[in-house]
């Protein structure tokens, strides 16, 4: 908990090397899962291929619950990438953390607001891009004055609120979970004897299991809300 971020300045900009490391590791893990799952495709899927096809079907269900498949089908790969990347990122800080010279190097990248708000900004920005691409600039702008023109200020505020809530919800849940996990792990390291260690180990294991559930739920919520925001911009039914 009393740790610093490993920062480096490049061309006047500060970079968190731990964030760079962890988002790279998360990306590599997702790539390896996709590569291994599709290396030997079979008509009757088993193992990793079966898992990946389940993820594709699950995300397809999310999309179809928010918009028709004709409008939302080309967001399929985006949804699969998001749900896998965010889930893996949420899990990285659960087993352990690594500190070197009071600098935290290993953690969940989604436990940093910079990462989660960047993801949220990307998603909201993408929704505006596809809104203009599919409806034209006129149809896109009309969406801000429907159903009543005087709602325009609220519509603009809503876009900023969507970005903040999408990013901070993910950050808050993962960060709070890791803080509590750190406190429980610290109580295990305290010299309380064997029974004291057992008393600390049980809630630690229980919280780790609950954190896996929370991480999965947050990946689902982020992906679901991504499709909701995209549907509001590209679907004529919203």
């Amino acid at each position: 908990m009393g740790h610093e971020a490993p920062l480096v300045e490049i061309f006047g900009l500060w970079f968190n090397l731990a964030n760079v490391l962890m988002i790279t590791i998360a990306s590599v893990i997702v790539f390896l899962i996709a590569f291994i799952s599709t290396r030997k495709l079979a008509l009757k899927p088993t193992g990793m291929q079966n898992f990946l096809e389940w993820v594709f079907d699950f995300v397809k269900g999310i999309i179809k619950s928010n918009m028709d498949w004709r409008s939302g089908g080309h967001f399929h790969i985006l949804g699969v990438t998001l749900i896998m990347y965010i889930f893996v990122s949420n899990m990285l800080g659960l087993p352990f953390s690594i500190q070197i010279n009071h600098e935290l190097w290993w953690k969940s990248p989604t436990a940093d607001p910079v990462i989660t708000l960047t993801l949220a900004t990307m998603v909201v920005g993408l929704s505006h891009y596809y809104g203009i691409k599919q409806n034209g600039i006129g149809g896109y702008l009309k969406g801000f004055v429907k159903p009543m023109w005087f709602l325009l200020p609220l519509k603009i505020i809503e876009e900023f609120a969507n970005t903040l809530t999408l990013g901070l919800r993910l950050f808050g849940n993962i960060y709070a979970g890791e803080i509590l996990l750190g406190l429980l792990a610290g109580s295990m390291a305290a010299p309380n004897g064997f029974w004291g260690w057992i008393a600390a180990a049980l809630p630690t294991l229980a919280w780790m299991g609950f954190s896996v559930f929370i991480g999965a739920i947050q990946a689902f919520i982020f992906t679901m809300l991504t499709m909701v925001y995209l549907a509001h911009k590209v679907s004529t039914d919203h």
Side-chain angles (χ1 to χ4, degrees), residues 94-237:
L94 282 184
F96 55 85
S97 63
I98 296 177
Q99 295 186 40
I100 302 176
N101 297 326
H102 301 289
E103 293 179 339
L104 183 61
W105 282 88
W106 187 281
K107 61 174 185 174
S108 295
T110 43
D112 191 304
V114 174
I115 302 298
T116 58
L117 287 172
T118 299
L119 285 170
T121 302
M122 177 196 73
V123 163
V124 174
L126 206 58
S127 71
H128 290 289
Y129 167 76
Y130 278 105
I132 295 173
K133 182 179 179 181
Q134 297 195 202
N135 299 319
I137 188 68
Y140 164 76
L141 292 176
K142 285 181 181 178
F144 285 91
V145 293
K146 290 182 179 179
M148 298 294 180
W149 65 267
F150 58 80
L151 293 177
L152 175 62
L154 293 179
K155 293 272 190 174
I156 295 174
I157 293 173
E158 180 186 28
E159 298 301 325
F160 290 99
N162 287 342
T163 306
L164 286 174
T165 55
L166 186 63
L168 294 180
R169 181 189 299 107
L170 177 59
F171 158 70
N173 279 276
I174 304 307
Y175 179 73
E178 292 198 358
I179 289 294
L180 183 54
L181 195 59
L183 290 171
L184 291 171
S187 64
M188 288 178 62
N192 296 322
F194 175 75
W195 293 111
W197 185 89
I198 291 294
L202 291 177
T204 300
L205 292 174
W207 184 254
M208 287 184 70
F210 184 67
S211 295
V212 172
F213 173 73
I214 292 296
I217 289 295
Q218 289 304 312
F220 164 73
I221 290 174
F222 195 99
T223 306
M224 171 67 80
L225 290 177
T226 295
M227 297 307 157
V228 169
Y229 298 155
L230 287 167
H232 285 169
K233 294 293 187 293
V234 306
S235 179
T236 57
D237 296 332

Side-chain angles (χ1 to χ4, degrees), residues 32-42 48-49 52:
L32 289 176
I33 292 173
F35 176 76
I36 294 171
S37 301
T38 58
R39 185 175 53 174
K40 295 180 180 179
L41 296 176
M48 290 294 291
Q49 182 187 342
L52 192 62

Side-chain angles (χ1 to χ4, degrees), residues 17-72:
L17 295 182
N19 283 348
V20 175
L21 173 66
M22 297 313 298
I23 62 177
T24 302
I25 291 174
S27 300
V28 170
I29 291 174
V30 172
F31 172 79
L32 289 176
I33 292 173
F35 176 76
I36 294 171
S37 301
T38 58
R39 185 175 53 174
K40 295 180 180 179
L41 296 176
L43 291 177
K44 293 184 177 181
T46 58
M48 290 294 291
Q49 182 187 342
N50 197 36
F51 165 75
L52 192 62
E53 289 194 9
W54 174 83
V55 173
F56 269 80
D57 288 340
F58 182 73
V59 173
K60 185 176 182 179
I62 294 176
I63 296 172
K64 292 177 74 174
S65 69
N66 289 285
M67 65 189 104
D68 62 277
W69 187 245
R70 184 176 180 181
S71 299

